[in-house]
Amino acid sequence: RRELTSLSLQIMSFGFKNGIPNDADFVFDLRCLPNPYWEKELREYSGKDQPVMEFLSKQDSVSEMLEDLKSFLDRWIPHFESDNRSYLSIAFGCTGGHHRSVYIAEQLTSYFKELGKPVILRHRDI
């Protein structure tokens, strides 16, 4: 029986307008979520900034997407671990890669770190 290696998660946010990352194992499209860009006072912030985080955290669809993503990844990551993979690259995209994808990537990075998973986070387009 093979010993399992520790699977590192590589989580990335990106903007579809700059192309899909070609090294991602999973790509999730978040363009269906409410876009802070259309709120003039939020436009210049990113998903790492408190005003955008507050805006997105109050949206039911964002909370539902986050829960669905956690559930999906919780279910399927062990299958990649059992295949003795060393990393799994997960990319989250929105239009510009500044708001929704950044927020979701940040939230999921925190979630998986709390579970003790090694996580590398990269925001490609901010």
Side-chain angles (χ1 to χ4, degrees), residues 5-72:
T5 58
S6 179
L7 179 77
S8 292
L9 301 177
Q10 296 180 348
I11 293 179
M12 178 193 308
S13 70
F14 72 94
F16 277 95
K17 72 178 187 178
N18 298 317
I20 297 173
N22 53 6
D23 60 343
D25 296 305
F26 286 118
V27 175
F28 294 97
D29 186 344
L30 305 174
R31 291 175 291 185
C32 62
L33 300 176
N35 191 349
Y37 179 84
W38 299 116
E39 306 292 325
K40 280 201 187 312
E41 69 277 5
L42 300 178
R43 191 170 287 181
E44 298 306 313
Y45 291 108
S46 82
K48 293 173 70 170
D49 295 314
Q50 199 61 38
V52 171
M53 292 168 58
E54 287 175 14
F55 172 84
L56 290 171
S57 70
K58 292 176 182 171
Q59 309 296 321
D60 288 342
S61 59
V62 173
S63 299
E64 291 167 8
M65 176 70 81
L66 198 49
E67 289 309 307
D68 286 346
L69 289 167
K70 287 176 186 175
S71 179
F72 176 85

Side-chain angles (χ1 to χ4, degrees), residues 1-2 14-15 19 36 93 108 112 123:
R1 188 182 145 144
R2 295 187 308 179
F14 72 94
L108 288 169
F112 285 112
H123 297 299

